[in-house]
């Protein structure tokens, strides 16, 4: 039996992307039909077309808020990458550093960020507190995954580096860091999503209004005013931002691992 | 047990009458060669190895690795063959006895080929072979002629830009051998390098390895549990028994090098295989005692 793509002579990318797009369109159509046919009021469930319309009409409020949230998310992710990778490298080089700092990293990870945020808001300005909250959430997966990757280099290759009298830094640069790359990228993808969640959670806790308000505040504000279409529009932007971050990190992962790692490479020769 | 007198031409007991060997002179030449290359690169004397968990891997081991020879350690699993390679490489140390090396302890003195190709999957074939030179601080440009020469030597000149996952098992093993040879080490340690390959590929790589050994004059210590492979490749076979690991018999393979095309089907080969098999059976019986 011929595969779907061969019958219709569709390009490969179209065969891969068509199913989820079609399912998504069908769901939107069903949602739209349900709201229209059952005359559901917009303050209960707005139709997709109304959400889209709100996105356009409220763009002056929503898109600046999106930029604020994105700026926080990406800033926190960058800090988490620097901190997570840096600390993981120190863990790999000196065991006493790992023994000294890992418990604190675990404490930060297991304490709910929503419980830490009010405390941070006492000590820091709201934008800084939100950034730190997002950083704390994104930091641990990057740290733990990178540390695991650095410790997972092939034992025989480690022996080979010893045999060649490689220095500690040569072993790190030519063996441990490349071996840790797939683990790091896995942690980065988790961290990217978590940074956005951390930013949203911290924004909700901060309740920061005015020019520096993020999307979370706009959602809360719209909820108080029963402006449900705007809530959905803001939620749509948050989802879109999350998908964009995940997609960008997936592209980065494929670019870095494409030819050699099983997770990203094509079939073997 | 092996000692410094082992391998002298006068001591070598041929497993067949001289008149039965059509190239008796060649055999004699080979035996003489073993005698000529008697300078030990590595000597283990009464060496023992006990691991932290109490396992006695080796006990009372005497072994000389002579310059230029192809020595095979043959024995059942768990008899300490790989442990000996790790001791020689300096990746582990003896718990008792002595190990002396007659070669400089620099980056380039010992090459190691593992049972798995153990390549860096993120690096191209060129970069994998380049590794030893890179760690010596040699630039890619300066190393390129040497790396390309070694790749050509193992028949992978056209695969320099490929990644390991794009190669077959046999080709990966060739890369591993090239990586070990690029530093022109005086001593090459090979830990069951062809164990996971199919018979055809193994035969081909056996021949290629003997050719390389002839061209580069590198001393090789080869570990295998295959009687046939050990006889085909070696000047000398050290048969080992387990629990604790020790050498119970030495067999000199006084067949001409390079091997004749029909060596695998010759009576001499069969006789050597029979001799090695009997020794291996003895090693197994020792374990069961």
């Amino acid at each position: 039996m011929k595969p779907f793509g061969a019958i219709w002579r569709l390009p490969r990318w179209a065969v891969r992307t068509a199913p989820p797009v079609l399912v998504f369109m069908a769901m939107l159509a069903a949602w739209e039909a349900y709201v229209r046919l059952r005359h559901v009021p917009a303050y209960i469930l707005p139709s997709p077309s109304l959400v889209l319309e709100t996105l356009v009409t409220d763009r002056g409020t929503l898109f600046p808020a999106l930029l604020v949230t994105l700026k926080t998310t990406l800033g926190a992710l960058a800090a988490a990458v620097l901190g997570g990778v840096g600390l993981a490298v120190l863990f790999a080089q000196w065991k006493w550093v790992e023994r000294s700092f890992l418990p604190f990293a675990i404490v930060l990870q297991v304490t709910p960020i929503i419980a830490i945020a009010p405390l941070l808001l006492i000590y820091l300005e709201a934008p800084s507190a939100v950034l730190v909250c997002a950083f704390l959430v994104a930091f641990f997966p990057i740290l733990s995954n990178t540390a695991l990757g650095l410790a997972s280099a092939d034992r025989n290759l480690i022996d080979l580096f010893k045999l060649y009298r490689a220095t500690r830094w040569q072993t790190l640069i030519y063996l441990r860091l490349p071996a840790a790359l797939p683990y790091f990228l896995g942690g980065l993808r988790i961290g990217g999503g978590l940074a956005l969640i951390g930013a949203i959670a911290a924004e909700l806790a901060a309740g920061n209004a005015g020019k520096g308000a993020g999307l979370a505040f706009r959602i809360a504000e719209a909820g108080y005013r029963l402006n449900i279409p705007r809530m959905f529009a803001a939620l749509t932007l948050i989802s879109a931002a999350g998908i964009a971050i995940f997609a960008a990190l997936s592209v980065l992962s494929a670019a870095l691992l494409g030819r050699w790692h099983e997770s990203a490479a094509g079939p073997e020769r | 047990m092996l000692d410094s007198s082992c391998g002298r031409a006068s001591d070598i007991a041929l497993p067949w009458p001289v008149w039965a060997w059509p190239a008796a002179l060649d055999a004699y030449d080979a035996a003489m060669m073993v005698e000529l290359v008697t300078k030990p690169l590595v000597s283990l004397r009464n060496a023992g190895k006990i691991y932290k968990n109490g396992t006695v891997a080796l006990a009372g081991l005497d072994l000389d690795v002579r310059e230029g020879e192809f020595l095979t350690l043959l024995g059942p699993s768990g008899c300490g063959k790989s442990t000996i390679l790790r001791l020689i490489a300096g990746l582990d140390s003896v718990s008792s006895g002595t190990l002396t090396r007659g070669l400089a302890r620099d980056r380039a003195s010992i090459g190691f080929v593992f049972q798995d190709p153990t390549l860096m999957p993120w690096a191209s074939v060129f970069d994998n072979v380049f590794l030893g030179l890179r760690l010596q601080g040699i630039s890619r440009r300066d190393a390129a002629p040497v790396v390309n020469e070694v790749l050509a030597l193992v028949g992978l000149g056209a695969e320099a830009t490929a990644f390991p996952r794009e190669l077959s098992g046999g080709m990966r093993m060739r890369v591993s051998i090239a990586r070990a040879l690029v530093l022109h080490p005086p001593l090459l340690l090979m830990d069951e390098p062809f164990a996971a390959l199919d018979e055809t590929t193994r035969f081909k790589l056996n021949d290629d390895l003997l050719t390389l050994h002839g061209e580069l004059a590198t001393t090789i210590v080869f570990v295998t549990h295959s009687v046939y492979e050990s006889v085909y490749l070696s000047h000398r076979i050290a048969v080992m028994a387990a629990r604790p690991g020790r050498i119970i018999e030495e067999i000199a393979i006084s067949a001409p090098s390079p091997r004749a095309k029909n060596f695998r089907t010759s009576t001499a080969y069969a006789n050597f295989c029979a001799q090695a098999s009997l020794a291996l059976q003895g090693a197994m019986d020792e374990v069961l005692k």
Side-chain angles (χ1 to χ4, degrees):
Chain A
M1 193 173 162
K2 285 186 178 180
F4 180 74
I7 295 169
W8 297 97
R9 296 182 184 282
L10 290 173
R12 205 171 166 184
W13 65 266
V15 175
R16 284 174 61 184
T17 51
V21 169
L22 288 175
V23 168
F24 182 66
M25 300 299 284
M27 283 172 63
L28 286 183
W31 177 2
E32 183 79 32
Y34 174 78
V35 170
R36 284 176 187 264
L37 294 174
R38 300 294 296 267
H39 302 290
V40 181
Y43 59 83
I44 300 289
L45 180 66
S47 66
S49 57
L50 181 59
V51 173
L52 187 66
E53 191 184 319
T54 309
L55 265 176
V56 176
T57 52
D58 290 359
R59 63 184 180 279
T61 307
L62 292 175
F63 281 88
L66 172 67
L67 280 181
V68 169
T69 301
L70 271 182
K71 200 175 154 189
T72 306
T73 301
L74 296 179
L77 188 60
V81 167
L82 285 176
V85 173
L87 198 54
V89 166
L90 293 178
F91 283 4
Q93 297 299 93
W94 296 286
K95 280 289 161 196
W96 66 267
V97 177
E98 183 175 0
R99 282 195 296 272
S100 306
F101 286 93
L102 189 60
F104 297 102
I106 293 170
V107 166
L108 284 175
Q109 164 67 12
V110 297
T111 309
I113 198 66
I114 205 74
I116 301 175
L119 199 61
L120 287 172
L121 283 161
I122 294 172
Y123 301 122
L124 299 168
E125 292 291 320
S128 303
V130 171
L131 184 73
V132 171
C133 283
F135 162 78
L136 289 176
V137 177
F139 168 73
F140 193 78
I142 294 173
L143 168 70
S144 60
N145 272 33
T146 309
L148 178 66
L150 290 169
S152 301
D154 187 299
R155 290 284 118 194
N156 284 337
L157 277 172
I158 290 172
D159 281 345
L160 193 70
F161 273 67
K162 279 184 193 164
L163 188 70
Y164 286 158
R165 302 274 194 275
T167 63
R168 187 188 283 256
W169 289 106
Q170 282 179 323
T171 306
L172 176 71
I173 290 164
Y174 296 126
L175 176 59
R176 290 194 187 275
L177 283 176
L181 189 60
Y183 295 83
F184 161 72
L185 290 168
L188 187 63
R189 274 199 270 190
I190 298 168
L194 286 179
L196 182 61
I197 292 169
I200 295 291
E203 281 176 4
L204 282 174
N208 195 27
K211 213 177 174 184
L215 273 177
F217 175 77
R218 293 301 172 202
I219 289 175
E221 181 191 47
Y224 299 143
R225 294 178 181 178
L226 275 183
N227 189 348
I228 308 304
R230 185 186 277 189
M231 282 182 86
F232 269 85
L235 271 175
T236 304
L237 285 182
I238 290 173
S239 296
I243 291 167
I245 290 169
F246 187 83
L249 294 177
S250 297
V251 168
L252 178 70
S253 183
L256 292 175
L257 306 180
R259 271 190 84 181
W260 65 272
H261 198 258
E262 296 300 327
S263 65
E268 283 185 57
R269 179 187 286 188
Chain B
M1 293 291 171
L2 294 179
D3 58 39
S4 57
S5 67
C6 286
R8 289 179 192 283
S10 55
D11 295 339
I12 294 170
L14 295 175
W16 70 96
V18 170
W19 53 263
W21 178 234
L25 269 179
D26 288 342
Y28 183 71
D29 287 346
M32 287 306 292
M33 192 182 79
V34 173
E35 184 185 34
L36 288 172
V37 289
T38 52
K39 181 185 169 189
L41 272 184
V42 179
S43 285
L44 286 144
R45 287 287 170 270
N46 199 27
K49 177 66 191 173
I50 303 172
Y51 286 110
K52 281 180 184 170
N53 63 5
T55 304
V56 182
L58 298 170
L61 184 93
D62 291 321
L63 175 68
D64 281 338
V65 179
R66 301 185 196 108
E67 196 171 345
E69 77 171 331
F70 197 123
L71 169 67
T72 292
L73 304 176
L74 174 69
S77 296
C79 71
K81 305 183 294 288
S82 300
T83 303
I84 293 177
L85 291 196
R86 291 183 62 82
L87 292 176
I88 294 173
L91 295 172
D92 237 326
S93 54
V94 291
S95 307
S96 59
T98 59
L99 184 150
T100 49
R101 296 184 190 84
L103 64 164
R105 292 287 288 133
D106 58 31
R107 291 170 191 258
S109 60
I110 297 175
F112 207 118
V113 179
F114 298 91
Q115 183 170 354
D116 298 317
T118 318
L119 302 177
M120 299 180 294
W122 56 84
S124 67
V125 166
F126 181 96
D127 283 336
N128 267 286
V129 176
F130 174 42
L131 177 68
L133 297 169
R134 170 180 265 170
L135 294 176
Q136 288 191 339
I138 297 169
S139 72
R140 174 183 289 268
R141 181 190 275 185
D142 291 342
V146 184
V147 173
N148 288 327
E149 186 187 332
V150 175
L151 282 176
L153 199 65
V154 297
L156 289 175
E159 308 292 340
T161 56
F163 279 74
R165 75 178 302 279
E166 297 166 342
L167 304 176
S168 66
M171 290 162 98
R172 285 177 206 174
M173 190 46 76
R174 285 171 193 273
V175 179
S176 184
I177 293 170
R179 180 180 61 192
L181 291 178
V182 77
L183 297 171
H184 296 297
L187 178 60
L188 179 59
L189 308 174
M190 306 184 82
D191 190 0
E192 298 191 49
F194 309 139
L197 301 177
D198 63 86
E199 197 79 343
T200 315
T201 310
R202 177 192 278 228
F203 279 12
K204 176 77 175 76
L205 287 176
N206 282 170
D207 286 331
D208 292 349
L209 182 60
L210 284 181
T211 306
L212 288 171
H213 180 247
E215 287 178 11
L216 303 175
T218 301
T219 305
I220 295 179
V221 181
F222 190 93
V223 162
T224 184
H225 50 242
S226 164
V227 166
Y228 309 105
E229 190 172 54
S230 66
V231 169
Y232 189 73
L233 292 173
S234 318
H235 291 137
R236 197 159 59 103
I237 301 172
V239 182
M240 295 186 67
R243 298 176 197 170
R246 63 208 184 279
I247 293 169
I248 58 162
E249 191 171 339
E250 178 202 359
I251 302 167
I253 308 296
S254 47
S257 295
R259 302 294 193 230
K261 272 194 171 178
N262 60 351
F263 181 59
R264 282 191 197 278
T265 54
S266 69
T267 312
Y269 180 70
N271 285 332
F272 280 125
C273 287
Q275 193 180 350
S277 295
L278 281 172
L280 197 58
Q281 186 58 53
M284 300 298 285
D285 292 344
E286 288 265 332
V287 174
L288 295 174
K289 269 182 191 173

